[in-house]
Amino acid sequence: MNLAAIFKDSNYKLSQFTTQEIDNLEKSIIIKQTKTGDVPYVRCLVRNKEIKLTPEEAVRQLYLQVLMQRYLYPVSRITVEYVVTFGREKKKADIAISDKDRPNVPYIIVELKKPKLKDGKEQLRSYCNATGAPIGIWTNGDQISFYQRKNPNYFEDITDIPNANQTLADILNVKFTLEDLIKKDKLVNEKKSLKALIEEMEDEVLANAGVDVFEEVFKLIFTKLYDEWLSGRGNNRNTRLLEFRNTGQTDTALKNKIQILFDRAKKHWEGVFSEDSKITLTVSHLSICVSSLENVKLFNSNLDIVDEAFEYLINQSSKGEKGQYFTPRYVIDMCVKMLNPQEDEYMIDTAAGSSGFPVHTIFHVWKQIIEDEGIKVSNLFSLEEKPYRCEKYVQERVFAIDFDEKAVRVARTLNLIAGDGQTNVLHLNTLDFASWDEVTRDEDWQNIYFEGFKKLKKLRSTKDSYKEFQFDILMANPPFAGDIKEPQIIHRYDLSKKPNGAWQSKVGRDILFIERNLDFLKPGGRMAIVLPQGRFNNSSDKDIRDFIAERCRIVAVVGLHGNTFKPHTGTKTSVLFVQKWNDDPHLGALCPRVEDYNIFFATMRKSGKDNSGEKIWRRVLSKSEEKLSEQDKEKIFLQDEHGHLVVDHDLFNHEGVTQDGKLLRS
């Protein structure tokens, strides 16, 4: 009996196989006589027992020849009817090839039971998802499809599978550069956010992975930022191949590759992770996470993408309970534009969070330097080599302090990138400056922060105290929830006193930050600080307003919308802009004391966020959505030069919008 007779009236064919392979199978057919007639059997190449030769089994035996002879997979790595568990239900995959380094874990799943592609791919998808196998094959003997499992919802067609001595990267031979990443950025093409992708990873793998989600995602983002940073140097944009990619190697090989890249990033950007820090995700979990993040471009003009993700990751207990939330980037931009920091000025954020104010100050001054150098560039991150003045400014004149260790590490990451490996972001309690000497004597602390702290000490007003400094600019969004109750802190601030001169037993944290921040400024220094609206309105806070007016000229007050800090809090806030009085040009910028002067007041009308805290995107056109196609709806949203959507706010005017909705500048 030949195979043609066996395949008669079936959906299975033989066109995928060579004449030699078909002859080998036909020669091994064993005919057994039964009551119903002659029945063909064959001795299975893997199970080494006689199996009834149905059309499906014939294709399986033929494809086992293919795997063993064409692709050189040994019998020891091949399992027939591999058991796949779905809860209480168990099914059997037709063929499974094990991972080279982990014999009990499938590397390739082959589906033959479903002779129609649609049915076969669905079955194959379920098997690959259940086992974590990165490669799937479907064939009916006539047609064949190879897939790389990129993530549970996406199987990418590939042209072939690797043989036993190859990786999928050898087959794909994909040259993926930074320019390719820009074109395929899923945040632009799929209109997704990094936060949403992290939420998906949490749902699928991270929630049950038994790891610290913040730490593991931070490691991956840190590593990917380094990979992108390397490709942005010199002529690398079109030549260097990105390494943070799942190119089809085994999960173990992928983890080794990502760990090596992470180790290089740690060495270049010191003080964020310990030297012995390792990626602790399992190889299968890491594979899924890398596939989810690999087509995301993290760098954009304001790092808003990374910031949003870290705001989500830094959990409620470490940030929210202290009343400190990351300041929206459009609020930061407004403050930076109004204070207009210069290259020769020293700047600090005393409650830095993810370092939004320092990073945007850096961008602002970099633009000045680049224009002064006569360099024309639309995107700072596309500049192959920045002038030395840019790095020098970051390393010598920009400082940040925060008491939350996780936030400090995030801030250091973003500043290390800007400073090319150097930063002045310090882990200190801004209000408890009397304890700084004790904190800074710790050897582990010194290993990370000593160089930046040494620079900060040079800016003290007097060498024996950390109370007063000589900064030109201060921008901060201090915690505005909770009270300070420690007497050793309270007794160091004038605003802690009652009208009769006695000390209060507790003082609002933001109140002490007002006085502390003013002490950081030199005469003539400028400050922008986010405060609860009550500090401007409450009759009980008149003494605070008098204290500010006595020491500073009130330049402006900008009222922020009640949704600005949602979903964390609906507290109404305003930004106070002041300049310290100064009549002596030798001490700082002139700001002569006067009794009567104008103050700029403004109120934010466009919220930028809805009541649930989701961002509202700016539209180019005002057409009714119901009358537009989905394709046209996308066109009516304003995009910046990176293709990212622009928040609809009115803190400063948007200019330079092209007809296709691109934002040239703002």
Side-chain angles (χ1 to χ4, degrees):
M1 184 179 292
N2 60 25
L3 290 179
I6 296 172
F7 277 68
K8 185 179 179 182
D9 299 326
S10 79
N11 290 320
Y12 293 95
K13 307 292 181 183
L14 293 169
S15 57
Q16 281 291 319
F17 308 108
T18 66
T19 303
Q20 183 63 53
E21 289 162 348
I22 294 171
D23 287 345
N24 289 341
L25 181 58
E26 288 186 333
K27 288 176 182 178
S28 65
I29 294 175
I30 304 168
I31 303 297
K32 292 188 176 183
Q33 294 181 346
T34 67
K35 293 180 181 180
T36 58
D38 293 346
V39 177
Y41 279 75
V42 68
R43 180 166 291 278
C44 177
L45 295 172
V46 173
R47 290 167 289 184
N48 197 28
K49 64 179 182 179
E50 293 180 357
I51 304 295
K52 184 178 178 180
L53 197 60
T54 63
E56 176 193 329
E57 187 62 47
V59 171
R60 174 154 55 191
Q61 293 302 315
L62 286 165
Y63 204 71
L64 286 173
Q65 287 190 63
V66 170
L67 291 172
M68 296 163 67
Q69 296 170 12
R70 294 192 210 173
Y71 292 101
L72 308 178
Y73 285 103
V75 172
S76 60
R77 288 184 63 184
I78 301 175
T79 302
V80 171
E81 295 191 343
Y82 180 87
V83 177
V84 181
T85 302
F86 299 88
R88 295 182 179 179
E89 185 182 6
K90 295 182 183 297
K91 294 185 179 181
K92 294 181 179 179
D94 293 308
I95 302 172
I97 299 175
S98 67
D99 187 289
K100 184 178 181 180
D101 302 303
R102 297 175 298 158
N104 297 323
V105 178
Y107 175 51
I108 300 175
I109 296 287
V110 184
E111 170 57 32
L112 310 166
K113 290 189 186 75
K114 307 286 186 180
K116 292 184 179 179
L117 174 59
K118 182 179 178 181
D119 298 333
K121 185 176 181 181
E122 197 60 38
Q123 186 73 65
L124 183 63
R125 183 195 300 271
S126 68
Y127 288 155
C128 288
N129 284 338
T131 61
I135 300 173
I137 305 168
W138 168 85
T139 185
N140 60 6
D142 181 29
Q143 298 173 307
I144 192 166
S145 294
F146 306 102
Y147 299 103
Q148 180 188 3
R149 176 180 176 272
K150 304 287 282 188
N151 62 52
N153 297 315
Y154 182 52
F155 279 57
E156 185 173 84
D157 287 280
I158 53 179
T159 56
D160 203 348
I161 62 168
N163 67 35
N165 301 313
Q166 293 177 312
T167 69
L168 187 55
D170 298 319
I171 299 299
L172 297 175
N173 195 27
V174 173
K175 294 183 177 181
F176 203 88
T177 66
L178 187 61
E179 287 295 336
D180 296 316
L181 179 62
I182 293 170
K183 295 173 185 175
K184 295 189 177 182
D185 183 8
K186 66 166 63 175
L187 301 186
V188 174
N189 297 329
E190 299 178 18
K191 297 296 185 289
K192 284 187 175 181
S193 68
L194 181 56
K195 174 186 171 183
L197 291 175
I198 292 172
E199 287 176 323
E200 290 176 12
M201 288 192 294
E202 277 191 304
D203 291 340
E204 292 173 7
V205 295
L206 295 174
N208 301 312
V211 298
D212 184 321
V213 173
F214 171 84
E215 288 296 329
E216 294 310 303
V217 176
F218 188 8
K219 290 170 188 173
L220 296 180
I221 291 176
F222 184 81
T223 305
K224 193 174 190 311
L225 280 168
Y226 178 70
D227 194 29
E228 290 185 28
W229 178 83
L230 284 174
S231 285
R233 310 288 288 177
N235 297 319
N236 288 345
R237 289 173 66 86
N238 294 296
T239 56
R240 179 183 178 271
L241 303 186
L242 289 167
E243 298 176 59
F244 192 95
R245 299 194 66 76
N246 188 342
T247 52
Q249 62 270 73
T250 67
D251 287 352
T252 300
L254 174 66
K255 183 166 184 177
N256 290 337
K257 180 177 75 169
I258 299 301
Q259 180 65 51
I260 291 170
L261 187 61
F262 176 51
D263 290 339
R264 290 163 58 198
K266 287 186 304 180
K267 186 175 181 180
H268 185 78
W269 294 330
E270 295 180 327
V272 179
F273 292 94
S274 63
E275 291 184 10
D276 60 351
S277 180
K278 300 291 183 184
I279 294 171
T280 60
L281 287 167
T282 65
V283 291
S284 58
H285 287 160
L286 178 64
S287 177
I288 295 172
C289 290
V290 170
S291 294
S292 296
L293 294 173
E294 64 185 13
N295 284 335
V296 173
K297 185 172 183 293
L298 295 180
F299 275 126
N300 70 349
S301 62
N302 60 10
L303 295 179
D304 186 46
I305 290 169
V306 179
D307 201 44
E308 181 186 32
F310 280 125
E311 180 176 15
Y312 170 72
L313 286 169
I314 295 183
N315 58 46
Q316 199 77 354
S317 63
S318 66
K319 298 294 291 185
E321 289 180 1
K322 301 179 182 71
Q324 184 175 3
Y325 309 104
F326 290 10
T327 313
R329 294 287 170 165
Y330 46 90
V331 175
I332 292 172
D333 278 342
M334 181 264 294
C335 295
V336 172
K337 288 172 186 288
M338 290 185 70
L339 290 187
N340 191 23
Q342 301 296 303
E343 183 182 358
D344 62 348
E345 293 183 316
Y346 290 92
M347 179 272 175
I348 190 168
D349 182 348
T350 55
S354 66
S355 202
F357 284 114
V359 167
H360 278 253
T361 297
I362 290 167
F363 291 159
H364 182 83
V365 172
W366 277 2
K367 288 178 181 177
Q368 297 173 6
I369 294 172
I370 288 169
E371 288 177 5
D372 185 57
E373 295 274 345
I375 301 171
K376 293 184 178 180
V377 61
S378 60
N379 173 13
L380 291 172
F381 285 113
S382 68
L383 191 61
E384 293 180 356
E385 292 293 338
K386 297 180 183 66
Y388 172 67
R389 289 163 59 188
C390 290
E391 291 179 8
K392 187 172 186 288
Y393 171 73
V394 177
Q395 295 167 8
E396 295 184 2
R397 297 188 181 268
V398 181
F399 294 78
I401 298 173
D402 201 277
F403 56 74
D404 186 276
E405 189 265 346
K406 288 182 178 178
V408 167
R409 290 165 59 206
V410 172
R412 284 182 68 81
T413 299
L414 302 184
N415 278 266
L416 283 165
I417 295 168
D420 194 22
Q422 294 188 39
T423 185
N424 306 315
V425 180
L426 307 175
H427 184 208
L428 290 168
N429 185 334
T430 297
L431 296 179
D432 191 14
F433 57 89
S435 70
W436 285 9
D437 271 332
E438 180 181 353
V439 171
T440 58
R441 279 195 292 267
D442 180 81
E443 185 176 347
D444 290 338
W445 192 96
Q446 287 191 4
N447 288 338
I448 299 172
Y449 304 108
F450 178 73
E451 289 300 323
F453 186 64
K454 185 169 65 174
K455 297 173 190 174
L456 179 66
K457 288 169 67 175
K458 292 180 180 179
L459 294 172
R460 291 179 295 180
S461 297
T462 56
K463 291 186 178 180
D464 59 349
S465 173
Y466 297 116
K467 179 175 174 56
E468 296 182 340
F469 288 82
Q470 294 289 304
F471 280 91
D472 300 280
I473 291 177
L474 187 150
M475 286 181 262
N477 175 17
F480 49 78
D483 296 323
I484 299 296
K485 300 178 181 179
E486 297 89 343
Q488 72 273 19
I489 297 178
I490 289 176
H491 294 178
R492 297 184 182 277
Y493 294 91
D494 291 337
L495 282 175
S496 298
K497 293 180 179 179
K498 299 177 182 178
N500 62 7
W503 296 105
Q504 299 183 56
S505 60
K506 61 181 181 180
V507 186
R509 186 180 277 108
D510 64 290
I511 295 174
L512 297 188
F513 262 100
I514 293 172
E515 181 174 343
R516 182 74 179 111
N517 286 348
L518 290 175
D519 286 340
F520 268 94
L521 288 176
K522 68 193 299 186
R526 312 188 298 285
M527 176 175 75
I529 181 172
V530 181
L531 294 172
Q533 185 61 38
R535 302 299 179 211
F536 301 89
N537 300 337
N538 297 342
S539 58
S540 59
D541 289 330
K542 181 179 182 300
D543 289 344
I544 298 173
R545 295 191 290 272
D546 290 342
F547 178 89
I548 295 171
E550 174 61 27
R551 299 184 65 179
C552 309
R553 175 172 181 144
I554 300 171
V555 177
V557 179
V558 177
L560 302 180
H561 195 278
N563 291 347
T564 300
F565 291 100
K566 286 185 177 180
H568 309 292
T569 179
T571 301
K572 185 75 170 67
T573 59
S574 292
V575 185
L576 173 67
F577 296 86
V578 301
Q579 184 174 11
K580 248 184 168 181
W581 297 120
N582 179 38
D583 294 297
D584 187 346
H586 299 292
L587 297 179
L590 279 173
C591 182
R593 186 181 296 271
V594 293
E595 294 299 322
D596 189 23
Y597 55 87
N598 294 327
I599 301 174
F600 174 79
F601 287 93
T603 301
M604 189 178 181
R605 299 290 181 87
K606 291 186 175 182
S607 61
K609 292 183 180 180
D610 61 23
N611 291 334
S612 63
E614 294 296 323
K615 291 175 182 175
I616 299 172
W617 306 116
R618 186 163 186 248
R619 297 176 181 277
V620 179
L621 306 174
S622 58
K623 295 180 179 179
S624 172
E625 288 189 19
E626 290 75 13
K627 298 179 181 179
L628 295 173
S629 67
E630 288 300 319
Q631 187 175 7
D632 288 335
K633 285 179 186 178
E634 288 188 5
K635 292 180 181 178
I636 69 174
F637 287 106
L638 181 67
Q639 299 176 22
D640 64 17
E641 67 269 32
H642 307 279
H644 298 296
L645 301 178
V646 176
V647 176
D648 191 16
H649 65 83
D650 55 1
L651 288 177
F652 49 87
N653 293 331
H654 295 289
E655 300 173 357
V657 181
T658 63
Q659 290 182 348
D660 62 355
K662 295 291 185 180
L663 180 66
L664 299 182
R665 65 185 188 279
S666 62

